[in-house]
Amino acid sequence: MVKLDAKIPDGPLARKWDNYKANQKLVNPANKRKLDIIVVGTGLAGASAAASFGEMGFNVKVFTIQDSPRRAHSIAAQGGINAAKNYPNDGDSVYRLFYDTVKGGDYRAREANVYRLAQVSNNIIDQCVAQGVPFAREYGGLLDNRSFGGAQVSRTFYAKGQTGQQLLLGAYQALMRQVHAGSVKLYTRNEMVEIVIVDGKARGIISRNLVTGKLERHFGHAVVLATGGYGNTFFLSTNAMGSNGSAAWKAYKKGAMFANPCFAQIHPTCIPVHGKFQSKLTLMSESLRNDGRIWVPKKKEDAEAIRAGKLKPTEIAEEDRDYYLERRYPAFGNLVPRDVASRAAKERCDAGYGVGPTGLAVYLDFQSAIDRLGRDAIEARYGNLFQMYEKIVDDNPYETPMMIYPAIHYTMGGIWVDYELQTTVPGLFCAGEANFSDHGANRLGASALMQGLADGYFVLPYTIQNYLADDISTPRMTTEEREFEDAEKSAKDRLDKIMSINGKRSVDSIHKELGLVMWDFVGMARNKEGLQQAIEKIQAIKKEFWTNVRIPGSAEDMNAELEKAGRLADFIEIGELMARDALHREESCGGHFREEYQTEDGEALRQDDKFTYTACWQYKGEDQEPELHREDLTFEVVKLVQRNYK
């Protein structure tokens, strides 16, 4: 029987983290040298964790599928990082950041984890400034802030439109310092394909060298997964094409619970789909909603004329424009949370007011800001984002409004972890987007970078010590043990099975088929009948994959198609679990919108008496239905109310 113990410390909410640190177990410097930690993933969470462990004196092995940690997908987080510094003196505080995050997640997150995130947010900014991250500054030299969705204060620190890249460079420098010092060993172009469990504890991994195809065994006293989310289940998403959920899925199959898989975020400001051969979508930063105003024509005939190419948006008079977010949500306007903005855009397009060739787009217009501040000011804030848009769309956003439409972005669900970021498998930890812990049913903008660095720099260095303090007498394993041998054989058998299918379809063709099912039935709006259909269709896709996929080349060489195939096999199963989770959760909350559960004005309608819990799924075997466990969510400080951004 699996017991879900969140290990939340005693005491008032504001004191829990301090109480934990005051009473945790420690490992002295001499003993740290005896202990090995494996970190999988080198994005913000993984790089910061590995650098911190190395600095503390542990022996660290860190793995990335990229040729350099600098290429981790964290670089794509453009807009900024939240912290409760209150530099603008506009009323922010640790409590307000905590409250906005819980509310933004529609009251489906664990209070203690979210409060800790808000507490350590200020330390992150100090750490990154010390590393030389070039945050934007005001004329007087103080760090500048801008607003993001779901907040009425300016708490987002930024570096133009490339904040994720600059933060990752800071973490990368810290990581490479430890690589040079010898405390961290870096494995590039290596993918984790199995987790090794010995006597019930995570004791290592099997990795595949993506250049040579060789399987390799690695021991660790503890293993940390920091491998990002599973948004590419939908094929078209804002994620890099290499982003995948396979490491988390391997953990799930080895006993780690998968929590809230249906909580996937739809980002409202993405460049619309432009063709059936497109392989990914491009995100336009949410920071653009600070100065951009979102609208569609008020008259259907104007929208139809625009779609037909007979009318330009600049020819629509001001009084004939519907600034629908400002109209519906006057208190927050264009800065409502992402799920709210996304559903509002879909509603306008479904009603026939959408623009662009397909009608699946709305305008993001900067003319008012340019008139108020001048083009130079807008260019200084968003210049690289405007350049990126013009290169992709071949339209000048200084002169013509951008076109945007919602797209799959971030996944709030992930591996279940307790307060220590440890999974239900002892010794297996999970950080950043790969875990479920901090965002509930919807993530506020600029909180992904905050969580990744909080987990890596300021949480795991404490909590992993608390675990490893009982392991100082455990000797290193040779990796010749039976458990390592069995894990490697399992990985090899799976690769051989995929290679032996020798069917007729490419990996991408099957992935696109899966993506269409996911978007149509498990996307922005869901219903019982559609989710039941999705499960049946995904099971058919799974059968098609395992009988008709074709992988050229061999498993003993570099083989990108084989890499994609292994990840697609996992995406198919993740997609089915997402649909099952969405089917069981008979309510709407955050990014999970069941059409049967909505208010009279089309907002998400929670069922707090039935679903105030984290849904945790346990793997029960191949082709067996997973078992649902619940972690009840208790709210001692925040009052559960209907979200209101009006």
Side-chain angles (χ1 to χ4, degrees):
M1 178 65 183
V2 175
K3 182 182 178 182
L4 291 174
D5 181 5
K7 299 181 187 174
I8 298 172
D10 295 330
L13 185 63
R15 293 288 304 165
K16 289 184 184 296
W17 182 229
D18 291 334
N19 289 344
Y20 178 91
K21 292 188 291 184
N23 294 286
Q24 67 161 111
K25 299 172 186 176
L26 299 173
V27 180
N28 77 37
N31 285 331
K32 286 173 184 168
R33 293 192 290 270
K34 302 176 184 177
L35 296 171
D36 300 341
I37 302 174
I38 288 173
V39 178
V40 185
T42 58
L44 284 181
S48 59
S52 299
F53 298 151
E55 185 76 42
M56 294 165 71
F58 292 105
N59 300 294
V60 184
K61 289 183 177 181
V62 63
F63 295 80
T64 176
I65 61 173
Q66 310 291 353
D67 50 10
S68 167
R70 295 192 306 274
R71 294 182 63 84
H73 188 56
S74 297
I75 66 167
Q78 303 155 329
I81 177 171
N82 288 330
K85 287 284 195 182
N86 194 32
Y87 283 170
N89 197 29
D90 56 0
D92 202 9
S93 64
V94 168
Y95 178 83
R96 190 172 291 277
L97 174 53
F98 153 74
Y99 175 77
D100 286 346
T101 304
V102 172
K103 177 184 176 183
D106 221 348
Y107 306 94
R108 290 294 177 261
R110 190 190 290 151
E111 268 192 341
N113 286 66
V114 180
Y115 196 90
R116 177 177 62 187
L117 176 65
Q119 277 180 295
V120 305
S121 66
N122 293 339
N123 302 72
I124 297 171
I125 303 304
D126 296 338
Q127 169 93 355
C128 294
V129 169
Q131 290 175 335
V133 173
F135 286 122
R137 293 180 181 269
E138 296 176 334
Y139 180 75
L142 295 177
L143 297 184
D144 197 8
N145 289 110
R146 58 188 176 200
S147 299
F148 257 63
Q152 291 178 305
V153 297
S154 293
R155 62 162 67 104
T156 304
F157 295 78
Y158 65 97
K160 285 193 173 181
Q162 48 185 247
T163 314
Q165 181 178 11
Q166 296 302 328
L167 292 172
L168 185 63
L169 287 173
Y172 169 74
Q173 291 173 111
L175 173 64
M176 296 311 292
R177 178 175 179 270
Q178 295 307 313
V179 171
H180 181 73
S183 60
V184 175
K185 187 169 183 180
L186 173 63
Y187 293 82
T188 59
R189 300 294 290 146
N190 261 265
E191 182 169 26
M192 189 202 86
V193 291
E194 275 290 349
I195 296 170
V196 180
I197 308 293
V198 180
D199 295 330
K201 295 182 177 182
R203 291 300 192 194
I205 67 169
I206 306 298
S207 73
R208 181 173 182 267
N209 186 311
L210 298 180
V211 176
T212 66
K214 181 182 178 183
L215 295 175
E216 301 169 356
R217 307 175 186 181
H218 301 276
F219 165 78
H221 290 89
V223 177
V224 177
L225 302 183
T227 49
Y230 49 93
N232 274 348
T233 302
F234 290 78
F235 187 72
L236 283 180
S237 82
T238 66
N239 290 277
M241 290 181 67
S243 297
N244 64 86
S246 289
W249 200 244
K250 299 295 188 295
Y252 167 70
K253 288 194 167 183
K254 283 297 179 76
M257 295 278 188
F258 208 109
N260 296 335
C262 77
F263 288 169
Q265 180 167 80
I266 313 292
H267 198 293
T269 56
C270 178
I271 296 177
V273 176
H274 64 255
K276 62 181 181 179
F277 297 111
Q278 197 166 345
S279 56
K280 77 173 298 294
L281 298 173
T282 302
L283 174 69
M284 300 309 296
S285 169
E286 183 176 311
S287 63
L288 295 171
R289 291 200 276 153
N290 272 276
D291 292 303
R293 300 178 69 193
I294 297 172
W295 65 274
V296 292
K298 284 183 179 179
K299 302 174 184 177
K300 280 190 179 180
E301 53 266 34
D302 286 345
E304 291 167 357
I306 288 174
R307 292 197 291 270
K310 298 176 181 178
L311 197 63
K312 296 180 180 179
T314 51
E315 296 172 337
I316 303 293
E318 186 70 16
E319 61 270 20
D320 292 329
R321 300 180 178 192
D322 179 14
Y323 295 95
Y324 57 88
L325 291 179
E326 298 171 35
R327 168 173 56 82
R328 292 178 59 176
Y329 309 100
F332 282 74
N334 295 298
L335 288 172
V336 292
R338 292 172 174 178
D339 61 315
V340 177
S342 295
R343 281 194 295 275
K346 181 178 187 296
E347 184 275 328
R348 287 290 80 194
C349 291
D350 288 350
Y353 296 91
V355 298
T358 63
L360 296 177
V362 299
Y363 288 126
L364 179 60
D365 195 333
F366 287 84
Q367 193 57 54
S368 295
I370 291 172
D371 292 343
R372 185 178 75 253
L373 302 170
R375 173 168 169 163
D376 290 346
I378 298 301
E379 192 167 351
R381 292 178 184 180
Y382 312 113
N384 60 313
L385 299 174
F386 279 46
Q387 290 172 3
M388 182 169 67
Y389 180 88
E390 186 169 4
K391 284 183 178 180
I392 294 171
V393 181
D394 194 23
D395 210 350
N396 185 342
Y398 293 104
E399 299 172 359
T400 304
M402 289 183 180
M403 286 191 296
I404 57 170
Y405 192 71
I408 291 291
H409 180 51
Y410 186 96
T411 47
M412 288 76 66
I415 295 298
W416 183 90
V417 291
D418 59 25
Y419 189 75
E420 298 183 310
L421 304 187
Q422 188 168 199
T423 72
T424 45
V425 176
L428 180 62
F429 294 77
C430 192
E433 189 181 356
N435 75 33
F436 89 105
S437 67
D438 291 0
H439 306 296
N442 173 63
R443 178 175 67 75
L444 292 184
S447 287
L449 302 182
M450 178 173 61
Q451 187 208 347
L453 291 180
D455 287 355
Y457 282 139
F458 298 108
V459 178
L460 278 172
Y462 292 95
T463 62
I464 206 163
Q465 272 197 94
N466 194 55
Y467 170 78
L468 289 174
D470 295 328
D471 241 4
I472 57 176
S473 299
T474 302
R476 293 185 174 96
M477 296 182 179
T478 64
T479 72
E480 297 300 319
E481 291 80 4
R482 177 180 54 80
E483 292 85 353
F484 281 88
E485 183 178 331
D486 289 348
E488 182 179 333
K489 183 178 185 301
S490 175
K492 186 177 187 305
D493 288 348
R494 186 172 190 260
L495 292 169
D496 290 344
K497 183 178 179 182
I498 292 173
M499 290 299 302
S500 68
I501 296 170
N502 204 28
K504 297 180 179 180
R505 294 189 60 181
S506 69
V507 174
D508 281 355
S509 73
I510 299 175
H511 198 169
K512 287 179 182 179
E513 184 179 344
L514 172 67
L516 287 173
V517 171
M518 293 299 296
W519 181 251
D520 289 344
F521 299 106
V522 201
M524 290 180 68
R526 305 157 178 182
N527 58 59
K528 181 177 180 179
E529 182 182 354
L531 290 166
Q532 290 172 334
Q533 287 185 53
I535 293 170
E536 295 176 2
K537 290 176 180 292
I538 293 169
Q539 289 173 342
I541 291 171
K542 181 177 180 178
K543 183 178 180 180
E544 175 72 359
F545 173 88
W546 286 106
T547 58
N548 202 24
V549 75
R550 180 180 180 86
I551 311 299
S554 77
E556 283 71 45
D557 290 302
M558 182 184 290
N559 192 333
E561 287 300 302
L562 179 57
E563 293 171 38
K564 291 195 297 183
R567 296 165 191 168
L568 175 57
D570 296 329
F571 281 139
I572 293 169
E573 295 180 359
I574 292 171
E576 182 177 344
L577 188 63
M578 291 178 72
R580 287 188 184 279
D581 189 41
L583 182 62
H584 114 274
R585 188 170 284 276
E586 295 179 336
E587 67 167 353
S588 292
C589 56
H592 167 65
F593 191 75
R594 284 283 297 266
E595 293 174 337
E596 305 97 323
Y597 304 95
Q598 54 184 301
T599 64
E600 290 182 1
D601 52 356
E603 304 293 347
L605 182 63
R606 299 195 317 270
Q607 302 261 51
D608 290 337
D609 58 331
K610 298 178 181 178
F611 293 97
T612 307
Y613 61 77
T614 298
C616 308
W617 296 90
Q618 181 185 10
Y619 180 68
K620 302 299 290 184
E622 191 70 24
D623 295 323
Q624 301 296 312
E625 289 193 14
E627 182 179 351
L628 174 64
H629 302 263
R630 296 171 174 84
E631 181 204 343
D632 291 329
L633 297 172
T634 57
F635 292 89
E636 302 173 9
V637 176
V638 172
K639 182 180 179 181
L640 292 175
V641 295
Q642 175 71 29
R643 278 197 305 172
N644 183 2
Y645 293 97
K646 297 181 178 180

